[in-house]
């Protein structure tokens, strides 16, 4: 018999007891390496487990992100939690259910197939047998490895999966309950840091007595080469010290950034790792070439809370609490940074504000650990300052995308080249892609790494969603991975999907206009992919697309569709806008196909969040650079979409049962940005291809037209 | 110095420098950590509290200025076991993702509904516009405030 293919999480963590445990209080504990970042994953995994075990939802507790007791599932990213962790939990639960029924059948002297499970109790002929999970739990050997051979419950029999379930963590969050920021054990010391302005910068002098005077209180200064922290029992004193330190530190050798490096246009011509993917170069010169270039600047995660972590070093063991996206990796990365064995470190997840990718969370955890190691026996609560979060979190890379499309004689794409300039989209610590920030301040910083974007098999980085969903006979990607961006770049919700989908869907509108056809009709004429087609038709119907007015009236409607990573959930979006001096998005319709949906309302919440964030990036956001780094350091200089600017949103998931479950956190982002771009072009009668679509750009476009 | 004021109905007296922020006193002296730090700059609304019924940014407000006054924080609204109608409505609408913005938003919503029991949508938006939410839960939050308003009107009638 062929062994079934197990999800990667089970291959790495095969033992059943890494995932499941029967508790004395007649509950079941499921453990996951994925963590709650506001996306509802813990609730969804609980639903999957409860359904597979035939338990009520309230009998399932979910432990997440614990290096001592839970499985290592790398980072919580790329909308993969439900796909990977969900299918692992399902397989484990099915197998444990089968083992439990085997044990019960032995006791009852019957065939396991004669038994059913009702709310965790085993029934025979419709009546309880007196046996249940907990009565046989001691006889189930959970030290065994999962085989993946147990039969899974068919989707038609799901009772909990597929139904909207309130998020389990939300009651506490509307009642003021704890994030890592709020965990203040007795005797805790507060810490803030002074950041090295850039790799290679050397702290030539630090006027410690002036800093202590300015702090107006008891403050200790902790230093490790070019890493400096201020520690005090009083939070405001530590904070004041760090603020004052900027004026009392002299740095040598800090990097200088030229003004033009701020813009995506600068990327072109920079030293890059160049490669071609897909079709070979065309052998004949183009006949009807259409070119479009779009750009997106550096953008921020801009979490509502600055990054924070707790660390304590006691009796040779370091314990860290963090809101990072992968606790096992964090533990390994801290171990490597501080040269301690991995076993001497525990990392536990506590909730934080939404991060939307790789922000400062892991870096803050190392900062806290470094301080804790210097002050054994003390609990350190390290929080970044607001300006530190904006100034030092990795940002989403700027991108420049040029499409070169050659048309056939019917005005349809015959040959398509997507040319992309971008810095790397992943510098997550570990796995040869990046470092925890403070290590660059060490006396011997780790050697610089060659940038490496995520592989195509994982959806790519700059190339994510570069392949159009449409029928294109020959498509190739020319990817210029820019080697030395002015700022640290890393994963931000959707990676390259937003600029790439924006470029593709801009091109589609351009081609439709040239052909004199409606954008919807034109798209449908070259889209044979059935799930994408269905969504386009449906979203057009919801938005009453056929009633769309003429171009250039100041009111516009735009359309876009994509399949995230070309392998995950589909989303189609229509945006309706009003453009005067600025853009107002009035209404957005989104329909998505995410296969089997575990928690429909939770999934809609994710779609809506992606829509709002994408509009914010498209209309408002740009990380501004100065001579020494990021200068957009507060919410005035880095504005995001506000209550008064958020559109009415109609988000909907089509019935995708029969298809495997796909994460939805990122699928609405690209199509939303593109639909807004197309709607603005429709409203104005001219296109703006550089994000963000600001007042200055609108005025300039109008003057040119 | 000692500052005495009422927090969620209970008289508190705190030994803190006059210039300490109300936010720090609430969180680190009184253990009321539902009021959150987001920016310290009156730009995000995470730290919003009520002082004598008016919204106030706790991140910049000096504790000396609340002496003798009544402060309300998220903990004064309700608990997980006994939620305030606003909290109940936020759960009914599943209004939130990470939830970090919600304490401040609930406080501004309370101030609005105390004054305007039947707000228009525009009034809800205006009352919340000083708050940022990075997760994009805005529409759910607006609906939740409207739902709570209806509930409160129903129970007042
Ligand atoms: S923390 Fe007070 S407004 Fe942001
Ligand atoms: S729910 Fe995360 S910031 Fe509002």
């Amino acid at each position: 018999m062929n062994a079934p293919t197990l999800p990667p999480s089970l291959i790495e963590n095969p033992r059943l007891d890494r995932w499941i445990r029967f508790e004395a209080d007649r509950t079941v504990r499921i453990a996951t390496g994925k963590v709650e970042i506001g996306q509802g994953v813990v609730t969804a995994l609980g639903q999957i487990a409860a359904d597979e075990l035939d338990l009520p939802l309230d009998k399932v507790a979910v432990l997440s992100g614990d290096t001592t007791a839970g499985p290592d599932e790398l980072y919580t990213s790329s909308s993969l939690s439900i796909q990977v962790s969900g299918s692992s939990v399902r397989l484990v639960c099915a197998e444990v259910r089968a083992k439990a029924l085997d044990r019960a059948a032995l006791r009852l002297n019957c065939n396991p197939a004669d038994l059913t499970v009702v709310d965790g109790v085993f029934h025979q002929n419709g009546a309880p047998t007196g046996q249940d999970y907990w009565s046989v739990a001691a006889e189930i050997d959970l030290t065994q490895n999962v085989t993946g051979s147990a039969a899974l419950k068919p989707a038609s029999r799901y009772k909990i999966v597929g139904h909207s379930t309130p998020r389990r963590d939300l009651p506490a969050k509307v009642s003021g309950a704890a994030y890592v920021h709020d965990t203040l054990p007795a005797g805790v010391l507060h810490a803030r840091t002074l950041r090295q302005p850039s790799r290679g910068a050397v702290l030539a002098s630090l006027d410690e007595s002036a800093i202590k005077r300015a702090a107006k209180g008891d403050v200790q200064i902790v230093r490790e080469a070019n890493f400096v922290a201020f520690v005090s029992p009083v939070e405001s004193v530590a904070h004041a010290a760090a603020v004052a330190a900027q004026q009392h530190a002299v740095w040598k050798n800090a990097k200088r950034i030229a003004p033009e490096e701020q813009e995506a246009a600068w990327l072109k011509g920079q030293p890059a790792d160049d490669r071609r993917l897909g079709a070979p170069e065309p052998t004949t010169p183009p006949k009807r070439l259409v070119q479009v270039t779009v750009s997106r600047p550096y953008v921020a995660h801009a979490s509502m809370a600055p990054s924070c972590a707790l660390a304590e070093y006691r009796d040779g063991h370091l314990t860290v609490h963090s809101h990072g996206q992968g606790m096992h990796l964090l533990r390994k990365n801290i171990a490597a940074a501080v040269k301690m064995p991995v076993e001497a470190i525990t990392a536990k997840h506590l909730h934080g504000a939404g991060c939307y990718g790789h922000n400062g969370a892991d870096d803050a955890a190392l900062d806290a650990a470094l301080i804790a190691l210097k002050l054994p026996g003390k609990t350190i609560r390290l929080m970044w300052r607001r300006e530190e979060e904006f100034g030092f979190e990795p940002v989403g890379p700027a991108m420049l995308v040029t499409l070169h499309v050659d048309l056939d004689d019917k005005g349809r794409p015959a040959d398509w080249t997507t040319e992309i300039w971008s810095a790397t989209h992943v510098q997550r610590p570990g796995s040869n892609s990046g470092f925890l920030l403070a290590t660059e301040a060490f006396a011997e910083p780790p050697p610089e790494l060659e940038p490496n974007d995520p592989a195509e098999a994982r959806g790519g980085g700059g190339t994510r969603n570069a392949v159009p969903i449409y029928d294109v006979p020959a498509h190739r990607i020319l990817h210029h991975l820019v080697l030395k961006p002015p700022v640290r770049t890393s994963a931000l919700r959707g990676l390259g999907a937003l600029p790439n989908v924006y470029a593709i869907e801009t091109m589609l509108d351009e081609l439709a206009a040239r052909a004199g056809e409606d954008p919807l009709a034109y798209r449908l004429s070259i889209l044979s992919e059935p799930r994408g087609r269905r969504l386009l038709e449906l979203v057009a119907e919801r938005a009453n697309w056929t009633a769309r007015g003429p171009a250039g009236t100041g009111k516009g409607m735009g359309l876009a569709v994509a399949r995230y990573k070309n392998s995950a959930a589909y989303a189609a979006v229509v945006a309706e806008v009003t453009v005067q001096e600025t853009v107002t998005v009035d209404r957005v319709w989104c329909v998505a196909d995410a296969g089997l949906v575990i928690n429909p309302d939770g999934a809609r919440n994710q779609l809506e969040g992606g829509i709002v964030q994408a509009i914010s990036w498209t209309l408002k956001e740009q990380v501004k650079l100065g001579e020494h780094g990021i200068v957009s350091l507060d919410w005035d200089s880095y504005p995001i979409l506000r209550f008064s600017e958020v559109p009415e949103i109609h988000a909907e998931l089509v019935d995708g049962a029969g298809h495997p479950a796909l994460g939805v956190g990122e699928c609405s982002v690209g199509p939303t940005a593109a639909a807004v771009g197309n709607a603005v072009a429709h409203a104005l009668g001219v296109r703006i291809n550089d994000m963000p679509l600001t007042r200055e750009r609108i005025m300039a476009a109008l003057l040119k037209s | 110095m000692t500052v005495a004021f009422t927090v969620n109905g209970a008289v508190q007296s705190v030994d803190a420098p006059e210039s300490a922020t109300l936010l720090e006193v609430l969180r680190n002296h009184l253990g009321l950590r539902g009021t959150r730090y987001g920016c310290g700059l009156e730009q995000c609304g995470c730290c919003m509290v009520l002082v004598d019924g008016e919204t106030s940014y706790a991140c910049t407000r000096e504790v000396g200025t609340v002496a003798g006054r009544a402060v309300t924080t998220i903990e004064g609204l309700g608990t997980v076991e006994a939620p305030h109608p606003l909290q109940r409505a936020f759960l009914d609408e599943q209004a939130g993702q990470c939830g970090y913005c919600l304490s401040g938003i609930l406080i501004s919503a309370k101030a609005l509904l105390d004054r305007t029991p039947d707000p228009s949508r525009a009034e809800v938006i205006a009352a919340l516009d000083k708050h940022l939410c990075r997760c994009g839960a805005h529409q759910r939050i607006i609906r939740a405030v409207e739902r709570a308003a209806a509930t409160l009107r129903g129970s007042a009638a």
Side-chain angles (χ1 to χ4, degrees):
Chain A
M1 193 186 103
N2 283 339
T5 339
L6 295 172
S9 294
L10 284 181
I11 295 171
E12 291 299 318
N13 309 271
R15 264 174 63 148
L16 293 168
D17 60 5
R18 212 62 189 147
W19 297 87
I20 187 168
R21 192 164 94 186
F22 292 95
E23 305 281 21
D25 63 355
R26 302 182 57 81
T27 60
V28 173
R29 192 194 75 182
I30 300 296
T32 169
K34 304 293 182 184
V35 299
E36 183 61 55
I37 47 178
Q39 84 286 39
V41 65
V42 164
T43 305
L45 293 175
Q47 286 179 270
I48 291 171
D51 224 332
E52 207 61 46
L53 291 165
D54 286 309
L55 282 172
L57 199 52
D58 60 6
K59 289 254 181 255
V60 178
V62 181
L63 171 82
S64 113
D66 185 324
T67 55
T68 313
D72 178 357
E73 297 192 84
L74 308 175
Y75 288 116
T76 306
S77 66
S78 298
S79 295
L80 284 170
S81 299
I82 292 303
Q83 239 161 299
V84 177
S85 198
S87 52
S88 305
V89 166
R90 178 173 289 134
L91 285 166
V92 165
C93 290
E95 197 149 330
V96 169
R97 182 185 192 275
K99 283 180 188 293
L101 288 178
D102 282 347
R103 298 309 306 175
L106 269 181
R107 286 192 183 184
L108 298 164
N109 201 11
C110 70
N111 191 323
D114 298 339
L115 297 174
T116 55
V117 187
V118 179
D119 288 350
V121 177
F122 304 153
H123 285 227
Q124 190 177 12
N125 301 325
T129 58
Q131 299 294 329
D132 58 32
Y133 282 117
W134 296 273
S135 67
V136 298
E139 296 167 20
I140 311 172
D141 182 5
L142 295 178
T143 65
Q144 287 177 334
N145 286 355
V146 66
T147 63
S149 58
L152 295 175
K153 193 181 206 178
S156 57
R157 287 191 33 233
Y158 285 144
K159 291 201 204 84
I160 301 173
V161 164
H163 296 276
S164 292
T165 303
R167 281 253 309 278
R168 295 175 157 209
D169 53 321
L170 211 53
K173 287 176 178 168
V174 298
S175 318
Y179 295 85
V180 63
H181 304 72
D182 308 329
T183 312
L184 275 76
V188 70
L189 295 178
H190 294 274
R192 297 288 189 276
T193 69
L194 169 68
R195 290 246 86 93
Q196 181 189 33
S198 58
R199 175 189 262 269
V202 177
L203 184 55
S205 77
L206 184 71
D207 186 344
E208 298 199 2
S209 49
I211 293 168
K212 286 186 174 168
R213 274 197 305 280
K216 296 201 180 80
D218 165 17
V219 64
Q220 236 176 306
I221 300 180
V222 170
R223 223 181 130 167
E224 166 87 47
N226 300 300
F227 172 81
V228 187
F230 307 93
V231 186
S232 170
V234 181
E235 187 169 10
S236 53
V237 169
H239 191 95
V243 171
Q246 329 277 319
Q247 265 64 59
H248 300 292
V250 179
W251 293 94
K252 292 245 162 69
N253 206 21
K255 178 165 83 180
R256 276 176 202 279
I257 298 171
E260 59 274 17
E261 294 182 50
Q262 174 180 284
E263 305 300 330
W266 172 84
L267 296 166
K268 201 168 176 171
Q270 292 305 310
D273 191 353
D274 299 327
R275 58 186 185 138
R276 181 175 54 73
L277 299 163
E281 289 300 328
T283 47
T284 53
K287 296 199 191 75
R288 300 174 192 82
L289 186 65
V290 183
Q291 288 174 306
V292 164
T293 296
V294 311
S295 76
R296 197 274 310 262
Y298 295 100
V299 287
H301 301 83
S303 178
M304 287 309 296
S307 295
C308 183
L310 294 175
E312 187 185 70
Y313 182 58
R314 190 182 288 277
D315 305 328
H317 195 90
L318 178 67
T319 305
V320 177
H321 288 89
S322 159
H323 55 103
Q325 288 174 287
M327 289 303 108
H328 286 83
L329 289 170
L330 177 64
R331 173 164 84 148
K332 281 183 211 156
N333 294 327
I334 290 179
V338 302
K339 303 200 169 51
M340 276 172 68
V342 173
E343 305 71 46
I345 302 176
T346 303
K348 291 190 179 182
H349 181 258
L350 285 176
H351 291 196
C355 60
Y356 329 104
H358 173 202
N359 71 348
D362 297 80
D363 298 322
L366 175 61
D367 293 348
L370 291 174
I371 302 163
L373 289 170
K374 298 234 185 237
L375 303 171
K378 302 282 186 199
T379 305
I380 305 299
R381 173 185 180 273
L382 175 285
M383 188 171 80
W384 280 15
R385 292 165 285 120
R386 168 46 62 194
E387 57 272 32
E388 191 175 0
E389 185 73 22
F390 268 124
F392 291 91
E393 69 147 336
V395 297
M399 278 177 66
L400 191 69
V401 183
T402 298
L403 306 181
H404 316 262
V405 177
D406 195 20
L407 301 178
D408 65 18
D409 51 14
K410 297 195 190 63
R412 305 295 185 256
D415 187 277
W416 181 313
T417 303
T418 302
E419 193 168 11
I420 297 165
W421 291 264
S422 172
T424 177
H425 285 256
V426 174
Q427 294 192 62
R428 287 194 190 267
S431 58
N432 249 344
S433 64
F435 307 108
L436 292 168
L437 184 59
T439 60
E440 299 196 334
F442 290 175
E444 283 175 47
E448 285 195 59
L449 295 169
E450 287 286 303
N452 68 41
D453 230 18
E456 304 311 307
R458 286 170 48 218
T463 58
R464 185 161 292 187
N465 274 99
V467 179
I469 192 173
Y470 302 98
D471 308 331
V472 175
H475 181 263
R476 71 192 61 74
I477 299 171
L478 304 179
H479 182 205
H480 310 288
L481 180 62
V482 172
L483 300 177
K484 291 219 176 297
V487 280
R488 181 168 62 139
T489 57
S490 196
L492 174 66
R493 198 177 198 169
L495 308 193
L498 185 149
N500 284 323
V501 174
Y502 193 99
I504 292 168
E505 294 293 282
T506 294
M507 175 59 90
L508 263 290
D509 265 25
E510 176 73 35
L511 298 182
R514 283 174 182 248
E517 293 174 31
D518 175 79
L520 172 65
Y522 183 88
R523 281 172 172 78
L524 290 172
S525 78
I526 53 168
L527 180 58
S528 47
E529 215 286 337
R531 289 167 83 182
R533 258 190 101 80
R534 174 187 181 202
L535 294 189
L536 256 189
E537 287 169 337
L538 199 58
V539 80
E541 188 187 309
R542 295 287 189 265
N544 197 11
W545 177 262
T546 46
R548 185 173 100 127
T553 64
K555 281 259 178 204
M557 213 183 222
L559 182 76
V561 63
R563 180 178 200 188
Y564 183 53
K565 293 193 273 188
N566 292 86
S567 64
Y570 298 74
V573 173
V574 170
E576 186 184 66
V577 303
T578 304
V579 187
Q580 280 155 342
E581 287 180 3
T582 56
V583 179
T584 308
V585 182
D586 302 311
R587 285 190 287 181
V588 171
W589 295 263
C590 171
V591 286
D593 176 352
L596 172 74
V597 177
I598 313 296
N599 187 353
D601 186 63
R604 271 195 302 276
N605 203 343
Q606 287 286 293
L607 291 176
E608 292 162 10
I611 289 166
V612 170
Q613 207 163 58
I615 295 172
S616 188
W617 282 320
T618 306
L619 298 184
K620 304 189 77 155
E621 299 184 30
Q622 173 167 21
V623 169
K624 299 277 169 56
L625 303 182
E627 200 184 347
H628 294 300
I630 294 171
V631 294
S632 43
L633 299 177
D634 62 19
W635 297 109
D636 279 351
S637 51
Y638 195 87
I640 62 171
L641 208 67
R642 311 186 75 93
F643 273 92
S644 52
E645 298 167 321
V646 165
E648 186 183 312
I649 300 172
H650 304 272
E652 168 187 350
L653 287 134
V654 298
D655 180 10
H659 294 287
L662 300 163
V664 291
E666 291 157 310
C667 68
S668 62
V669 166
T672 298
V676 168
N678 284 337
V680 170
H682 181 233
L684 290 177
V686 283
R687 284 208 156 267
I688 306 174
N689 290 340
D690 298 303
M691 288 175 267
L693 312 180
T694 55
R695 171 196 302 257
E696 297 73 46
R697 288 199 166 121
I698 291 164
M699 300 314 267
L702 286 175
L703 280 177
K704 260 198 338 215
S705 69
Chain B
M1 67 164 258
T2 306
V3 189
F5 56 106
T6 309
V7 184
N8 302 329
V11 178
Q12 300 281 0
S13 96
V14 194
D15 187 21
E18 206 164 332
S19 62
T21 63
L22 178 56
L23 180 65
E24 181 165 27
V25 168
L26 289 170
R27 291 179 56 85
N28 297 359
H29 292 242
L30 298 174
L32 296 170
R33 300 189 193 120
T35 307
R36 311 200 176 286
Y37 175 85
C39 66
L41 299 164
E42 303 189 358
Q43 292 176 352
C44 75
C46 285
C47 63
M48 202 66 83
V49 295
L50 300 180
V51 177
D52 289 341
E54 300 285 335
T55 55
S56 182
Y57 294 103
C59 67
T60 50
R61 180 131 191 184
E62 293 188 358
V63 71
T65 68
V66 302
R69 295 174 188 264
V71 174
T72 307
T73 69
I74 182 73
E75 290 89 350
L77 252 63
T79 60
V80 172
E81 295 73 33
H84 183 275
L86 266 164
Q87 290 163 315
R88 185 68 258 156
F90 273 59
L91 294 175
D92 288 341
E93 294 289 342
Q94 291 287 290
Q97 288 184 24
C98 78
Y100 199 85
C101 63
L102 295 180
S103 294
I105 287 174
L106 281 157
I107 287 292
S108 283
K110 173 150 192 343
L112 170 72
L113 298 190
D114 284 348
R115 199 172 316 119
T116 315
D118 192 5
S120 65
R121 177 152 289 202
E123 285 172 314
V124 173
I125 290 171
L128 300 184
D129 212 33
K130 46 189 171 306
H131 293 275
L132 300 177
C133 169
R134 185 52 158 169
C135 293
H138 304 75
Q139 291 295 354
R140 286 171 181 255
I141 291 170
I142 292 167
R143 284 203 302 275
V145 175
E146 290 174 345
R147 180 193 276 255
T151 313
L152 286 161
R153 285 197 306 277
S155 57

